[in-house]
Amino acid sequence: MAFWESNHVLCNTGGLNEIPVSSLPSTVEHLSLTKNNFPLIRSDAFNGLRNLRKLSLDGNNISTIKPFAFRGLPRLRELSIQHTPLTTVAQFAFAGLQNITAILLGHNKIHKVEGYAFAGTSNVRLLLLNSNPLHKVETSAFSGLTNVEHLILPAGIKSIEPDAFSGLDSVGLIKLSFMDLTALKTHTFRGLSHVHVLAIQESDLGVIQAGAFEGMTHVNSLNLLNNKIDSVQELHLRPESRVKVLRMQGNHLLETPLPGAIELDGVEILNIQSNHFPCDCHIHNLIEGPLANGSAAEFSAKNFCISPLQYNGQTISSVNINTIGRCSEGITRDNWDAPSTAVLKKFSIHIFLITLWLFR
C-alpha cells in the first residue's frame, strides 16, 4: 500500500519486487519502503532523489547491496536496513555517504563486512551493527570511514583480523563487547587513528598478542573492562599512540604478565582497579611494575587474587606476599607448578633405596 503526502512517501507491505525510483517524485524527502519483496539494491538505486533525507528499507528480502548503492544522495541523514536476510556488506556498498546522522544495520544476518564497505563515507553520528552474527571482522572492514561519533559492533565476534580497523579515522567511541576471541591478534588496531574512546569489554580476549595495539595513533582513552584474559604477551603503548588514559577494571587475568610485557609510555592517567591476578611468584614483579604506577600499596588494595585457591577473591594487600617466593630466573610458567629436576631425582633415589631395603 502506497501513501503520498507532501514530501513523504510510504509504501509499506506493498509487495514490491523492485525499487520504483522512476515513479517517485524528485522532491521526496522521507521514503519508507518497508516489508516489501525486493532482494537487490542496485548501484545508484536512488539516483535522482537528491532531496531524500530519510530512507527506511526495513523488513525487506534484501540479500545483496551493490557498490555505491546510495550514491547521489547528498542530503540523506538516516538510512535504515534492518530485519532483512542480508549476510554480507560488500565492498563499497555504503561508500561515499556524507553528513549522515545514522546508518542502522541491526537485526540482519550479516556475518561479513568486506574491506572498504564504507570507503569515503564521513561525518556519521551512529553506525550500528548490533544483533548480527558477525563472527569475523575482516581486514580493512572500515577503511576509508571517517568522522564517526559511535561505532557499535555486535556481540559474539570470534575473530578480528590484523588491520581490521586500518584506515578508520576520527571516531568518538568504538565499542567491542561480548566477544569470544582466542586471541587479540598482532596489529589488530594498526592504522586506527584519532579515537576518543576505544572500549573493549565483557569479553573473552584469549591471549593479547605482541603488537595487538601497535600502530594505532591518537587514541585518547583505552578501556579494558570486565574481560577474561588468558595471558598478556605484550601491551606496549608507545608515545606515538598518544593514549592519555588507560582504564583496566574488573578483568580476570589467568596469568600475570611477565616483566617487560607491559610498557605504558606517555599514558597520563592510569585507573587500574578491581582486577584479579594470580598471586604466585610473579606477584612481586606485578606490584613493582608499570600497572602499579609507583604505588604498590594502592594497587594491592584495589586489586584481587584469582589464584591460588586459598587467596581467591582476597585483595592482594590482604595476602602476606613476603611468604610468596620470587620467581628465579630459571622458572617459567611451564615449570612453576612442577617439582624441579633435582627434587625429582632425589625422590627417585629415595624410592630406589627403599625398594632395595624391602627386598634385601
Side-chain angles (χ1 to χ4, degrees):
M1 181 178 70
F3 176 75
W4 299 43
E5 180 181 345
S6 184
N7 295 325
H8 290 58
V9 176
L10 309 179
C11 193
N12 303 327
T13 64
L16 296 173
N17 294 317
E18 59 182 24
I19 298 169
V21 66
S22 60
S23 302
L24 298 171
S26 60
T27 56
V28 64
E29 295 181 2
H30 180 181
L31 176 60
S32 179
L33 299 174
T34 65
K35 298 181 180 179
N36 286 285
N37 296 320
F38 46 85
L40 171 68
I41 302 179
R42 303 179 187 278
S43 299
D44 302 307
F46 300 91
N47 190 35
L49 305 182
R50 295 183 61 83
N51 293 307
L52 193 61
R53 300 180 65 85
K54 184 175 182 180
L55 175 59
S56 178
L57 302 172
D58 297 349
N60 281 286
N61 193 33
I62 299 168
S63 59
T64 303
I65 301 176
K66 292 291 187 178
F68 302 101
F70 306 99
R71 184 165 50 189
L73 302 177
R75 294 180 175 84
L76 188 64
R77 295 296 175 264
E78 182 176 318
L79 172 59
S80 182
I81 303 175
Q82 303 189 86
H83 301 285
T84 79
L86 181 67
T87 60
T88 300
V89 180
Q91 280 192 339
F92 304 109
F94 293 91
L97 293 169
Q98 304 288 323
N99 302 312
I100 189 165
T101 301
I103 301 175
L104 307 178
L105 300 175
H107 304 280
N108 296 301
K109 305 297 182 184
I110 297 169
H111 63 77
K112 184 177 183 180
V113 178
E114 294 185 349
Y116 306 97
F118 301 92
T121 290
S122 64
N123 301 321
V124 182
R125 288 189 181 178
L126 175 63
L127 174 52
L128 194 62
L129 284 159
N130 65 306
S131 300
N132 282 288
L134 182 63
H135 296 317
K136 182 179 180 181
V137 183
E138 303 277 345
T139 297
S140 300
F142 301 100
S143 186
L145 178 63
T146 60
N147 294 313
V148 183
E149 288 191 15
H150 293 84
L151 172 58
I152 311 297
L153 297 183
I157 292 173
K158 296 183 181 297
S159 176
I160 303 178
E161 293 303 291
D163 300 312
F165 299 95
S166 179
L168 176 59
D169 186 18
S170 301
V171 187
L173 169 67
I174 299 176
K175 185 178 179 182
L176 301 167
S177 60
F178 300 103
M179 299 185 293
D180 185 15
L181 308 180
T182 57
L184 201 58
K185 299 177 182 178
T186 301
H187 297 149
T188 291
F189 297 104
R190 183 170 61 181
L192 175 66
S193 61
H194 298 93
V195 179
H196 186 64
V197 177
L198 172 56
I200 303 170
Q201 58 193 69
E202 282 86 33
S203 296
D204 185 346
L205 300 184
V207 177
I208 298 180
Q209 294 183 352
F213 295 95
E214 184 178 276
M216 65 181 191
T217 59
H218 294 88
V219 177
N220 183 71
S221 181
L222 173 59
N223 296 350
L224 300 174
L225 310 175
N226 304 314
N227 301 295
K228 182 179 82 67
I229 302 171
D230 293 346
S231 65
V232 179
Q233 290 182 354
E234 180 186 285
L235 175 56
H236 288 181
L237 301 180
R238 306 296 190 189
E240 56 268 24
S241 298
R242 303 287 180 89
V243 176
K244 295 181 180 179
V245 181
L246 173 62
R247 292 187 176 91
M248 287 185 65
Q249 299 176 11
N251 300 289
H252 286 66
L253 287 84
L254 303 188
E255 293 183 2
T256 304
L258 292 174
I262 296 179
E263 295 181 7
L264 307 177
D265 296 334
V267 177
E268 298 175 5
I269 299 173
L270 272 179
N271 190 335
I272 314 295
Q273 60 180 327
S274 301
N275 301 289
H276 292 70
F277 299 93
C279 289
D280 57 17
C281 70
H282 298 279
I283 193 68
H284 302 278
N285 291 322
L286 178 68
I287 64 176
E288 294 166 2
L291 289 180
N293 197 28
S295 179
E298 182 179 359
F299 177 86
S300 298
K302 291 184 176 181
N303 293 280
F304 300 86
C305 297
I306 193 173
S307 63
L309 186 60
Q310 65 265 33
Y311 297 148
N312 179 257
Q314 297 183 36
T315 60
I316 297 173
S317 61
S318 68
V319 175
N320 184 0
I321 64 170
N322 293 322
T323 64
I324 302 174
R326 287 179 175 269
C327 295
S328 66
E329 292 183 1
I331 289 180
T332 66
R333 289 196 172 93
D334 292 332
N335 62 25
W336 163 242
D337 291 321
S340 67
T341 303
V343 171
L344 284 174
K345 285 183 177 178
K346 186 179 291 185
F347 181 76
S348 299
I349 291 170
H350 285 169
I351 293 296
F352 177 71
L353 292 175
I354 291 170
T355 303
L356 285 178
W357 182 81
L358 288 173
F359 291 97
R360 65 180 179 176

